[in-house]
Amino acid sequence: MDLEAAAPPRPRGGSPATAPPPPADRETDVGNVRKNIFLAYKTLGVVFGGLVTSPLYVYPSMNLSSPTEADYLGIYSIMFWTLTLIGVVKYVGIALNADDHGEGGTFAMYSLLCRHADIGILPSKRGYSEEEPLLREQSATAIRPSKLGKFFEQSLTVRRVLLFMAILGMCMLIGDGILTPAISVLSAIDGLRGPFPSVSKPVVEALSAAILIGVFLLQKYGTSKVSFLFSPIMAAWTFTTPIVGIYSIVLYYPGIFKAISPHYIVHFFLRNKKQGWQLLGGTVLCITGAEAMFADLGHFSKKAIQIAFLSSIYPSLVLTYAGQTAYLINNVNDFSDGFYKFIPRPVYWPMFVIATLAAIVASQSLISATFSVIKQSVVLDYFPRVKVVHTSHQKEGEVYSPEINYILMVLCVGVILGFGGGKEIGNAFGVVVIMVMLITTIMLTLVMIIIWRTPPVFVGMFFIPFVIMEGSYVSAVFTKIPEGGWLPFAVSMILALIMFVWYYGRQRKIEYEMANKITIEHLGELLAMPEVQRVPGLCFFYSNIQDGLTPILGHYIKNMSSLHTVTIFVTLRYLLVSKVDQRERVLIKRLGPRGVYQCTVQYGYADNLSLKGGDDLVAQVMRCLKRHIAMSTDRRSSVSTEEEIANLEAASLAGVVHVRGKMRFYVGDDAGCFDKVMLRFYEFLHSICRSALPALGMPLQQRVEIGMLYKV
């Protein structure tokens, strides 16, 4: 849905000089500016926590050996251009425009690509009917796909690779959500050991773990409440660290900004060669958390994130790193505690308190991003169903998942207690950070070619420099895999395995249902059998397919020898859009037999499925069904409109029942080894994940489940 289409048309005639906007428009513009500034302030507590606190651990994560002034100037030059190119140019300038109706992240880009070209994998995501109004609007953009889009459509292997990239990007972002809280809080609390050398490392670890547990317990209150609490803390950090940086520049090395010249980078690599290349694994941490800018887009707005980054975050980081580097040039061996050593003694304790509180806030940015991408993958049916709670009535992107929250908490505490040192966590951290960014670069390039139709020259100007830069970072951080980098890979591979097994199992079920679906003619034959009775009542029969009826229906009729007088086959369909207009939420059509209807309930991945009570869905469908009957000109029987509506109301008064088919795999001994492993694992995941019906608020006493075995 094009949000701009809802805007009133501009008046014709007159120039801007002679026809100023009316006062109401000016007031609206002022109101929008104020709203964006307020949202920008709130982003400090949610989006940028991980990025702006990176000075706590960047220098301590580097394995420097007898560094010189020239080395530090080269390192600062690398960090400055990394922040500028990746932060300003790539994310703020380009990536934030590749949203899918306000949602960001790799899965949002994947769904955006799927909507503009037929490159999805699951049949359920691609088998839409062109007769449906919303989907007609979507498909209009993909009538003439680009040459690259056609290539993707024709190659199943390439489409699978694209899906794997989207999955890997999501999994890596979750790994980031594990490591950001651990390294931020641990690095901040480690400041206790400077003034108090007697404080042992296990004490720092235990205190850090306790703080993180408290952060995760706060998540259930929602992003809005958390950001309102944390934004003042982040604002204090964002504006005090550059002040200390300026003081350090003036005191230690006023000429530090000459390092902005790229020739210092060239000299750094010529002088240090292999060691300089390996140090990229530490410098990449300066851009940590930039990916949250894009992933957290659904929580705020593009303008708010751009304003916050360009006006405060970017200048703050440039000045803070400049101050740290200026101090280290005069104290070359203090890099292992590069943040706290450059803090002046009179303000050490105030800065320690602010740093600790800021590190706690930093944990929030990737936690929020993790909730967002998990929700996107769940509603797109690429991840087992978990509970997703919408914590804001104004912002649908604000979500919280209890299961994911507590899993993250356990893993974060495990990382702190298992690794202990910030340098070891930093080795693991770098792998996650740059892999997500490289995947984002590749998918952004596809968006430019397939959707934006950007001229090839400009695509090359974006793709080549960023792939070279991020590829260099990737090659450097891969050397850290034996030193802790294996952790995010292990977590990502486990998550990717879960997602692939879920996708494979869902695909096999859909293939079986499509191959064995019941046609309208077959349904008529079943209902014509003498032993089958039409019992009073209204039945909502849930199905995964729309073109035909689920095989479980035949199993149900043969075993129950009955069907309700009014039966509505309901398909819950998640479209590859952010939100579905309320007018297109429920689609109704009459099937052949008397009292049998087809209903499709459509949702986007940013829509809220948690209806307030089962009667809400019943009431919505009943209203749409009555309207459909009243407006229908296709009378397939002698029953009048008034009589059909009366039958519908009588069935509703007789009682409502919600029937859900539960098809299970029966994996026999003759099944292949691959199917035995994958489908048994899928059945395990299916048995522990949540049902779709409770999300709709169906009363327990009205729910009926019909089981059916499908022999593999």
Side-chain angles (χ1 to χ4, degrees):
M1 291 172 291
D2 190 356
L3 297 181
E4 293 181 357
R10 294 181 180 179
R12 296 182 181 180
S15 64
T18 58
D25 289 346
R26 287 198 297 269
E27 290 176 7
T28 301
D29 291 340
V30 172
N32 288 334
V33 170
R34 289 175 179 172
K35 181 181 178 181
N36 284 325
I37 291 175
F38 179 67
L39 281 176
Y41 165 73
K42 292 178 70 176
T43 64
L44 298 178
V46 176
V47 178
F48 296 109
L51 181 59
V52 80
T53 55
S54 57
L56 285 169
Y57 47 78
V58 171
Y59 273 114
S61 297
M62 295 185 189
N63 293 316
L64 295 171
S65 177
S66 302
T68 63
E69 175 184 339
D71 291 334
Y72 280 120
L73 290 173
I75 290 171
Y76 178 70
S77 187
I78 293 171
M79 291 194 291
F80 173 82
W81 286 108
T82 299
L83 286 167
T84 302
L85 293 176
I86 295 181
V88 177
V89 177
K90 176 182 167 181
Y91 278 100
V92 171
I94 301 174
L96 291 179
N97 295 303
D99 66 297
D100 186 17
H101 295 279
E103 294 286 326
T106 56
F107 248 76
M109 278 196 290
Y110 177 72
S111 70
L112 189 65
L113 288 166
C114 287
R115 287 198 296 108
H116 287 78
D118 188 18
I119 59 179
I121 297 292
L122 285 179
S124 63
K125 303 303 174 198
R126 297 185 289 118
Y128 299 138
S129 168
E130 289 298 322
E131 296 175 0
E132 297 173 19
L134 176 64
L135 300 171
R136 237 189 357 254
E137 177 187 337
Q138 293 178 22
S139 62
T141 61
I143 292 174
R144 293 183 297 275
S146 64
K147 291 182 179 179
L148 183 63
K150 291 179 180 177
F151 172 72
F152 271 72
E153 291 175 1
Q154 295 168 359
S155 174
L156 179 61
T157 301
V158 175
R159 283 188 277 133
R160 284 175 174 168
V161 170
L162 182 63
L163 173 61
F164 176 75
M165 284 175 52
I167 289 174
L168 188 60
M170 191 209 78
C171 295
M172 286 288 181
L173 191 64
I174 294 173
D176 205 347
I178 296 168
L179 296 172
T180 294
I183 194 171
S184 299
V185 175
L186 191 63
S187 299
I189 299 300
D190 200 52
L192 285 173
R193 302 181 66 191
F196 301 108
S198 59
V199 176
S200 64
K201 191 175 177 182
V203 172
V204 171
E205 294 171 11
L207 187 56
S208 302
I211 290 173
L212 278 180
I213 290 172
V215 171
F216 281 103
L217 293 179
L218 282 174
Q219 296 304 310
K220 64 182 178 182
Y221 296 107
T223 304
S224 293
K225 298 179 179 65
V226 172
S227 62
F228 180 77
L229 178 66
F230 284 170
S231 292
I233 297 169
M234 267 344 280
W237 168 268
T238 302
F239 295 111
T240 54
T241 50
I243 292 173
V244 176
I246 293 171
Y247 170 81
S248 183
I249 292 168
V250 173
L251 182 63
Y252 295 108
Y253 202 91
I256 186 64
F257 289 109
K258 68 182 181 182
I260 292 176
S261 172
H263 89 272
Y264 283 96
I265 299 176
V266 177
H267 283 261
F268 175 78
F269 286 117
L270 291 176
R271 192 169 50 254
N272 292 282
K273 298 181 174 64
K274 182 179 179 180
Q275 185 185 8
W277 166 69
Q278 291 175 334
L279 285 173
L280 287 176
T283 57
V284 72
L285 298 183
C286 73
I287 199 66
T288 298
E291 66 279 5
M293 260 195 285
F294 189 33
D296 275 335
L297 189 56
H299 291 249
F300 296 97
S301 69
K302 180 177 71 174
K303 285 289 185 186
I305 292 174
Q306 290 173 330
I307 290 171
F309 184 82
L310 295 176
S311 66
S312 59
I313 304 301
Y314 177 70
S316 175
L317 288 171
V318 168
L319 291 171
T320 302
Y321 282 122
Q324 277 186 284
T325 307
Y327 169 82
L328 291 172
I329 287 174
N330 286 269
N331 301 271
V332 293
N333 294 318
D334 284 351
F335 59 86
S336 61
D337 192 11
F339 179 78
Y340 282 110
K341 286 290 180 66
F342 105 104
I343 300 296
R345 293 296 100 186
V347 295
Y348 185 92
W349 287 113
M351 286 303 298
F352 171 78
V353 172
I354 294 174
T356 302
L357 294 175
I360 294 171
V361 176
S363 307
Q364 183 63 48
S365 62
L366 270 300
I367 294 172
S368 299
T370 300
F371 291 155
S372 295
V373 296
I374 285 288
K375 190 227 173 179
Q376 291 174 18
S377 59
V378 166
V379 298
L380 290 174
D381 210 9
Y382 290 113
F383 197 82
R385 287 183 295 271
V386 294
K387 184 176 182 180
V388 175
V389 179
H390 290 257
T391 57
S392 171
H393 296 293
Q394 288 77 33
K395 200 71 176 173
E396 289 291 344
E398 293 187 12
V399 293
Y400 160 72
S401 173
E403 294 98 332
I404 300 301
N405 185 59
Y406 293 120
I407 290 172
L408 284 177
M409 182 177 74
V410 170
L411 290 174
C412 282
V413 172
V415 165
I416 287 179
L417 300 181
F419 281 88
K423 186 169 290 187
E424 290 77 9
I425 300 177
N427 292 335
F429 205 7
V431 175
V432 171
V433 170
I434 197 60
M435 283 299 294
V436 174
M437 292 181 178
L438 183 60
I439 289 170
T440 302
T441 295
I442 295 171
M443 297 193 75
L444 265 177
T445 304
L446 295 177
V447 169
M448 287 180 175
I449 297 171
I450 295 175
I451 302 174
W452 295 346
R453 306 295 173 92
T454 306
V457 174
F458 294 107
V459 174
M461 290 173 62
F462 167 78
F463 181 73
I464 294 172
F466 281 101
V467 163
I468 292 174
M469 179 172 61
E470 292 171 351
S472 301
Y473 273 126
V474 167
S475 65
V477 298
F478 267 37
T479 63
K480 306 294 184 182
I481 288 179
E483 303 169 13
W486 58 268
L487 176 67
F489 267 114
V491 172
S492 299
M493 292 311 296
I494 291 172
L495 288 170
L497 175 63
I498 290 173
M499 294 184 76
F500 180 76
V501 169
W502 185 260
Y503 148 71
Y504 182 75
R506 300 293 288 176
Q507 186 180 49
R508 288 294 298 270
K509 280 190 174 181
I510 289 170
E511 288 172 353
Y512 174 81
E513 288 189 298
M514 295 299 291
N516 297 274
K517 63 187 178 183
I518 294 177
T519 62
I520 302 301
E521 293 76 16
H522 188 199
L523 176 60
E525 293 171 2
L526 289 172
L527 294 179
M529 295 168 62
E531 64 271 21
V532 176
Q533 303 295 319
R534 300 298 294 272
V535 297
L538 174 61
C539 174
F540 284 74
F541 203 114
Y542 294 86
S543 170
N544 290 325
I545 60 175
Q546 187 178 17
D547 185 16
L549 301 172
T550 174
I552 297 177
L553 174 62
H555 181 69
Y556 173 78
I557 293 177
K558 289 176 182 177
N559 284 275
M560 303 296 290
S561 298
S562 65
L563 192 69
H564 288 76
T565 52
V566 175
T567 301
I568 304 172
F569 293 96
V570 181
T571 301
L572 301 179
R573 171 169 292 170
Y574 296 103
L575 302 182
L576 292 173
V577 295
S578 178
K579 294 184 180 182
V580 175
D581 190 274
Q582 286 291 337
R583 294 170 296 179
E584 296 162 348
R585 176 62 52 84
V586 179
L587 303 177
I588 301 284
K589 74 176 179 181
R590 183 189 289 108
L591 300 181
R594 179 173 54 86
V596 180
Y597 305 91
Q598 173 75 54
C599 169
T600 303
V601 182
Q602 301 187 136
Y603 285 88
Y605 61 76
D607 277 319
N608 188 353
L609 255 181
S610 301
L611 302 176
K612 306 298 183 183
D615 287 339
D616 280 359
L617 179 64
V618 174
Q620 278 190 42
V621 174
M622 289 288 284
R623 283 196 302 270
C624 292
L625 185 52
K626 289 178 181 178
R627 186 165 59 248
H628 176 81
I629 293 171
M631 297 175 62
S632 178
T633 57
D634 180 19
R635 309 303 307 174
R636 299 188 181 184
S637 67
S638 58
V639 180
S640 66
T641 298
E642 294 76 13
E643 187 178 352
E644 190 174 357
I645 292 177
N647 291 338
L648 180 62
E649 292 176 345
S652 178
L653 292 173
V656 179
V657 63
H658 300 270
V659 178
R660 173 178 176 259
K662 197 167 186 179
M663 190 172 68
R664 306 294 298 270
F665 288 111
Y666 174 72
V667 186
D669 294 334
D670 55 340
C673 292
F674 183 77
D675 276 346
K676 284 182 181 179
V677 174
M678 299 294 286
L679 297 181
R680 284 173 179 169
F681 189 19
Y682 169 80
E683 285 299 321
F684 168 74
L685 292 175
H686 195 268
S687 66
I688 62 174
C689 78
R690 293 177 179 267
S691 169
L693 290 190
L696 292 171
M698 303 305 168
L700 185 63
Q701 63 273 18
Q702 293 182 1
R703 296 207 300 260
V704 175
E705 288 194 350
I706 305 297
M708 178 178 176
L709 286 178
Y710 157 40
K711 189 177 186 302
V712 180

